[in-house]
């Protein structure tokens, strides 16, 4: 049977994480999964959401790109 224990921790220098769980018996085996709260794509873009414009599937990098697509769609009609 699995027992879930959730803790919020702050990543320390060098990527070190300390986890204190006194309710776990000494010598027992535990699996640790780390979920980072910050979106990797936002972090890669310097933390600015504006840097993500045009990065998603089906999006346009500029207004001109969107206009070009709309004109091409209208011409197909």
């Amino acid at each position: 049977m699995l027992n879930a224990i959730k803790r919020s921790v702050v990543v320390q220098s060098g990527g070190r994480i300390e986890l204190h769980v006194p309710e776990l018996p000494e010598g027992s085996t535990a699996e640790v999964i780390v979920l980072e709260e910050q979106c990797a794509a936002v972090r890669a873009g310097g933390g600015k959401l504006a840097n993500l414009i045009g990065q998603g599937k089906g999006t346009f990098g500029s207004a001109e790109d969107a206009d070009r697509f709309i004109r091409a769609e209208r011409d197909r009609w």
Side-chain angles (χ1 to χ4, degrees), residues 2-72:
L2 292 176
N3 181 27
I5 299 170
K6 182 178 177 179
R7 297 283 195 273
S8 291
V9 298
V10 176
V11 179
Q12 299 173 12
S13 64
R16 190 169 46 97
I17 297 173
E18 277 189 35
L19 187 62
H20 299 279
V21 189
E23 57 266 36
L24 290 176
E26 186 175 329
S28 65
T29 301
E31 181 177 359
V32 177
I33 299 173
V34 177
L35 303 172
E36 184 184 16
E37 289 185 19
Q38 186 179 22
C39 174
V42 172
R43 186 178 61 247
K48 297 181 181 176
L49 291 176
N51 292 338
L52 297 177
I53 294 174
Q55 300 299 314
K57 182 179 178 182
T59 61
F60 302 98
S62 67
E64 292 79 21
D65 291 342
D67 288 339
R68 204 173 5 263
F69 174 78
I70 292 169
R71 277 192 219 102

